[in-house]
Amino acid sequence: MAANSHRGGSFYGDAAPYRSRHGLSTRPVAGSDEIQLSIDPMDLDDEISGLHGQVRRLRHVAEEIGTEVRYQKDFLEQLQMTMIKAQAGVKNNLRRLNKSIFQNGSNHILHVIVFALLCFFIVYLWSKMSRK
């Protein structure tokens, strides 16, 4: 027991050698293995007051956590609605683009390929001329 190493020392003052905490002390009963426990009510009141303060702080922290959870829940719901609207907009625009391509034909792909070949040809000629 850790209290045994402090027998009669100044750690517990003039308390009994088996004192475990403030307000609690043990005394061996003569001729028996039993221990008699004595509780100081003043120290218990201090302990209860300290615990009451800690419970109050923990309750305040729990309320703050609840407030933050509600705030984040609302934020996520708004974000989810925004994503649903964005997905619907993209889907609608893709549908219109596909309809437009189908009605007007797919010549835009041919135009992109011709433009890429023209750019490649210009870069090729420019590299040949710069070596001379």
Side-chain angles (χ1 to χ4, degrees), residues 85-102:
K85 289 177 183 177
Q87 284 177 342
V90 168
K91 185 177 180 181
N92 191 22
N93 286 336
L94 282 176
R95 186 173 45 241
R96 275 195 269 155
L97 182 64
N98 285 335
K99 185 177 177 182
S100 173
I101 289 172
F102 183 72

Side-chain angles (χ1 to χ4, degrees), residues 54-119:
Q54 289 177 349
V55 167
R56 191 178 319 122
R57 284 190 300 266
L58 286 174
R59 183 176 53 206
H60 179 68
V61 168
E63 289 171 354
E64 289 294 322
I65 289 172
T67 302
E68 181 67 22
V69 165
R70 283 189 295 276
Y71 172 76
Q72 289 185 5
K73 179 182 174 231
D74 292 341
F75 177 75
L76 287 176
E77 286 174 355
Q78 289 176 356
L79 182 63
Q80 186 177 18
M81 288 303 297
T82 303
M83 290 298 296
I84 289 171
K85 289 177 183 177
Q87 284 177 342
V90 168
K91 185 177 180 181
N92 191 22
N93 286 336
L94 282 176
R95 186 173 45 241
R96 275 195 269 155
L97 182 64
N98 285 335
K99 185 177 177 182
S100 173
I101 289 172
F102 183 72
Q103 287 177 353
N104 297 329
S106 59
N107 289 337
H108 69 285
I109 294 176
L110 181 63
H111 291 112
V112 170
I113 292 172
V114 170
F115 178 73
L117 288 174
L118 182 65
C119 288

Side-chain angles (χ1 to χ4, degrees), residues 35-46:
I35 295 177
Q36 191 177 32
L37 182 63
S38 172
I39 302 173
D40 185 7
M42 294 302 288
D43 288 340
L44 285 178
D45 288 342
D46 292 341

Side-chain angles (χ1 to χ4, degrees), residues 3-64:
N4 288 341
S5 62
H6 295 290
R7 285 187 189 203
S10 63
F11 187 74
Y12 293 116
D14 294 325
Y18 297 105
R19 187 173 177 111
S20 61
R21 292 179 57 175
H22 300 290
L24 300 176
S25 61
T26 58
R27 292 182 206 101
V29 178
S32 175
D33 290 336
E34 297 176 5
I35 295 177
Q36 191 177 32
L37 182 63
S38 172
I39 302 173
D40 185 7
M42 294 302 288
D43 288 340
L44 285 178
D45 288 342
D46 292 341
E47 290 288 327
I48 290 171
S49 296
L51 288 174
H52 181 68
Q54 289 177 349
V55 167
R56 191 178 319 122
R57 284 190 300 266
L58 286 174
R59 183 176 53 206
H60 179 68
V61 168
E63 289 171 354
E64 289 294 322

